[in-house]
Amino acid sequence: MKKVISLILVLVMALSMSVSVYADVAGTIAISSVSATSSKVSFSGTAENVKAAVVVQVCKGTEILAMESFLVSSGAFSGSIDLDLTSGTTYVLKAADYDGGAWVTKEFTYTKPASTSPAASSETLTLNILGGAKSAECTVNIAGQKASVDAMKLGDEKNNLKLSIDLSNTEAKEVEIPAKVMDAMKTAAESLEIKTADAGVLLNASALQTVAEAMNGKSMILSVNTGKDAENKLTSEQAQVVKAIKNPVVINVSIQVGDKTVSDFNGGQAQLTVDYVPDKDAPSASVPRGAYVSERGKRGEVKTVYDPAQGKMTATVEHFSTYVVYLEEALPFKDVTDPTEYFYDPVKWALENTVTSGVSADTFAPASTCTRAQMVTFLWRAAGSPEPTTTTCNFTDVVKGSYYEKAVLWAIEKGITNGTSATTFSPDVTVTRAQAVTFLWRYEGAIPFTNMTANGPAPSPFTDVKTSEYYYNAVLWAKAQGITDGTSATTFSPNKNCSRAEVVTFLYRDIVK
């Protein structure tokens, strides 16, 4: 199932279609077959000279009930749309080139079958052992959206196998594997891949072992949902995160063993692969993004790879829950390209909000040290570049008319810094970690953060931050606010030089998050 574009975007695109405008460039679409159940419309067709995708509508009279896009492969398209249908009603399925063109139509009528509870059907599937000379067989019972792997027989080659159960041509969204089958898999498999109509799920050996141990003689059920099915499971906080993303695909994956949910793989990894059609107006220079979104809307970046030739997006995860994948315009910096780097989003924010434009048009220099002048200038710009009330600076080393002059004047007025002496600011000296968090703490009002005990201030959580230091309260505040956890569990490294990446990250975590 290749549901990868939001209904709103598709509606806008559909309204803009015109035969007179696109007739000379649009591909030729033909609908070959249409079938329907009470909750789904399935179809297939041909698509000549279509570059990327076909847009499909399901209509009742003049009313558009649903609209989605589907990838074209080797001149053909197919898929299904989840939709509640009324028995005895005539519907119209329409299809057109995603890039524009005339709609082709095919009428169909859904008729409720005599029995709405079909018995489970049983079929034998062959597990694909990649790189192996032998095969294995498993018996899979499929009943609607549920599949059960009831038995497995391994061939002669029983070690380091890459097993793949392909259910992509079925309606299965839940796959049950009993303990006896999993025990055989965990001892033989290097990895286990399960493909459903919605997504591919690949567990490496470590993740597979973790799941098998958690089963303890019970069956496990893997559930996979994408598109609307996954979006319907979002909390309000998750929905807000997804809403802010352009052209996202939501993936919800879970493993249930009895009444227990197995989510953490204890160091193991899984890969989630879904179909992905880029937004029509997506920039040519794009980077794949993927994120875990917690029930409270907190997100964490995951490694994501996009294969434009196959139209597939793959995210590497360390637990199962709710994920979102999408494409985003690439940053102009050749040294900031990996969205999983802790400073990627802070640099993106700094660029978008003119906090800094980098050291050149295509270089940010994240590892380079940040000077005191740069630090107060970044902070001043993040605050909106307010005009200082005075134009007189008592620091002899602050150059009049320099890029940082107003920032220093503003910082002095706000009590953010007093300089390194009564007459010097030391603009070209590298800012330390202690100075950086102190500037931010004073910017936020210098709220006392000392934890008092009967014997005075509580000991610092860091062995290198004494209660007598000027930055003691600032460090405790920064840790409590999630701005920085220090350089280790017990050290803050207050005198360590701050890099440009660290400074924009501190700013981002304080001002944005």
Side-chain angles (χ1 to χ4, degrees), residues 322-474:
T322 300
Y323 292 87
V324 59
V325 295
Y326 57 101
L327 284 179
E328 178 180 83
E329 183 176 4
L331 295 179
F333 305 126
K334 60 187 179 183
D335 53 1
V336 184
T337 59
D338 184 358
T340 62
E341 289 280 9
Y342 76 88
F343 54 81
Y344 185 92
D345 280 332
V347 170
K348 178 174 178 284
W349 162 80
L351 180 65
E352 292 175 346
N353 291 275
T354 63
V355 173
T356 177
S357 56
V359 297
S360 72
D362 63 354
T363 307
F364 183 79
S368 296
T369 56
C370 184
T371 65
R372 287 169 51 83
Q374 290 171 336
M375 171 73 196
V376 295
T377 301
F378 292 171
L379 182 55
W380 174 64
R381 290 171 181 168
S385 302
E387 284 290 329
T389 58
T390 180
T391 58
T392 302
C393 183
N394 294 326
F395 295 137
T396 59
D397 55 359
V398 172
V399 179
K400 191 169 183 60
S402 61
Y403 75 88
Y404 58 83
E405 181 192 14
K406 288 185 177 181
V408 172
L409 291 172
W410 168 80
I412 295 169
E413 289 178 359
K414 295 296 182 182
I416 294 171
T417 177
N418 295 318
T420 53
S421 74
T423 58
T424 59
F425 178 74
S426 304
D428 297 324
V429 172
T430 301
V431 68
T432 65
R433 287 173 52 81
Q435 291 170 341
V437 295
T438 301
F439 288 172
L440 287 176
W441 176 63
R442 290 171 180 168
Y443 168 71
E444 295 293 356
I447 302 171
F449 212 82
T450 303
N451 293 324
M452 298 300 295
T453 68
N455 298 319
S460 167
F462 301 115
T463 58
D464 54 0
V465 177
K466 297 178 180 179
T467 57
S468 59
E469 297 288 358
Y470 75 88
Y471 49 79
Y472 171 77
N473 271 288

Side-chain angles (χ1 to χ4, degrees), residues 30 35 68 81 90 103 118 133 139 153 164-165 199 217 226-227 239 246-247 255 274 339 389 406 427 465:
S35 61
E68 295 178 11
I81 295 176
T90 298
W103 294 101
T139 301
K153 180 181 178 182
S164 178
I165 303 177
T226 66
K246 187 176 182 181
N247 198 32
I255 289 180
V274 294
T389 58
K406 288 185 177 181
V465 177

Side-chain angles (χ1 to χ4, degrees), residues 455-511:
N455 298 319
S460 167
F462 301 115
T463 58
D464 54 0
V465 177
K466 297 178 180 179
T467 57
S468 59
E469 297 288 358
Y470 75 88
Y471 49 79
Y472 171 77
N473 271 288
V475 169
L476 265 63
W477 167 82
K479 179 175 174 58
Q481 296 298 315
I483 293 171
T484 177
D485 288 327
T487 53
S488 76
T490 58
T491 58
F492 184 77
S493 304
N495 297 319
K496 181 178 178 291
N497 290 338
C498 252
S499 68
R500 287 169 52 82
E502 288 175 321
V503 167
V504 295
T505 300
F506 290 171
L507 286 166
Y508 174 75
R509 290 173 180 171
D510 176 34
I511 296 172

Side-chain angles (χ1 to χ4, degrees), residues 101-437:
W103 294 101
V104 295
T105 64
K106 195 176 187 71
E107 286 191 354
F108 66 96
T109 301
Y110 166 64
T111 302
K112 183 179 180 180
S115 174
T116 58
S117 302
S121 61
S122 179
E123 60 178 307
T124 300
L125 301 179
T126 299
L127 293 176
N128 178 26
I129 303 177
L130 302 178
K134 304 294 182 180
S135 64
E137 288 186 348
C138 66
T139 301
V140 180
N141 287 307
I142 301 172
Q145 295 186 352
K146 295 183 179 180
S148 176
V149 183
D150 288 347
M152 188 178 85
K153 180 181 178 182
L154 292 171
D156 296 334
E157 192 174 294
K158 296 182 179 180
N159 295 306
N160 301 320
L161 304 180
K162 296 180 179 179
L163 302 177
S164 178
I165 303 177
D166 191 348
L167 302 173
S168 57
N169 290 325
T170 73
E171 295 183 2
K173 295 184 179 181
E174 289 187 0
V175 182
E176 181 177 5
I177 300 179
K180 61 180 180 180
V181 175
M182 182 61 79
D183 286 341
M185 288 181 175
K186 75 175 182 180
T187 58
E190 174 185 315
S191 60
L192 170 64
E193 180 181 39
I194 298 177
K195 295 180 180 179
T196 70
D198 280 357
V201 179
L202 176 68
L203 298 171
N204 70 5
S206 180
L208 189 61
Q209 185 72 26
T210 298
V211 173
E213 291 175 355
M215 291 171 67
N216 194 26
K218 299 179 181 179
S219 294
M220 78 92 165
I221 297 177
L222 170 70
S223 299
V224 184
N225 291 282
T226 66
K228 291 180 181 177
D229 289 338
E231 291 170 14
N232 290 337
K233 296 177 179 292
L234 297 175
T235 64
S236 58
E237 291 87 351
Q238 289 173 325
Q240 286 296 318
V241 174
V242 173
K243 185 178 179 181
I245 299 172
K246 187 176 182 181
N247 198 32
V249 174
V250 180
I251 314 167
N252 185 278
V253 188
S254 66
I255 289 180
Q256 198 75 17
V257 177
D259 58 358
K260 179 182 178 182
T261 299
V262 180
S263 58
D264 193 345
F265 299 142
N266 294 326
Q269 290 185 331
Q271 289 184 341
L272 309 178
T273 301
V274 294
D275 294 313
Y276 189 87
V277 176
D279 185 78
K280 185 177 180 180
D281 298 323
S284 56
S286 299
V287 293
R289 299 285 309 259
Y292 155 70
V293 186
S294 73
E295 292 184 354
R296 295 186 176 182
K298 185 176 181 180
R299 58 175 289 165
E301 204 70 25
V302 297
K303 185 175 181 179
T304 309
V305 177
Y306 176 55
D307 183 348
Q310 298 294 322
K312 301 285 186 182
M313 190 81 85
T314 299
T316 300
V317 304
E318 296 180 352
H319 70 288
F320 279 163
S321 190
T322 300
Y323 292 87
V324 59
V325 295
Y326 57 101
L327 284 179
E328 178 180 83
E329 183 176 4
L331 295 179
F333 305 126
K334 60 187 179 183
D335 53 1
V336 184
T337 59
D338 184 358
T340 62
E341 289 280 9
Y342 76 88
F343 54 81
Y344 185 92
D345 280 332
V347 170
K348 178 174 178 284
W349 162 80
L351 180 65
E352 292 175 346
N353 291 275
T354 63
V355 173
T356 177
S357 56
V359 297
S360 72
D362 63 354
T363 307
F364 183 79
S368 296
T369 56
C370 184
T371 65
R372 287 169 51 83
Q374 290 171 336
M375 171 73 196
V376 295
T377 301
F378 292 171
L379 182 55
W380 174 64
R381 290 171 181 168
S385 302
E387 284 290 329
T389 58
T390 180
T391 58
T392 302
C393 183
N394 294 326
F395 295 137
T396 59
D397 55 359
V398 172
V399 179
K400 191 169 183 60
S402 61
Y403 75 88
Y404 58 83
E405 181 192 14
K406 288 185 177 181
V408 172
L409 291 172
W410 168 80
I412 295 169
E413 289 178 359
K414 295 296 182 182
I416 294 171
T417 177
N418 295 318
T420 53
S421 74
T423 58
T424 59
F425 178 74
S426 304
D428 297 324
V429 172
T430 301
V431 68
T432 65
R433 287 173 52 81
Q435 291 170 341
V437 295

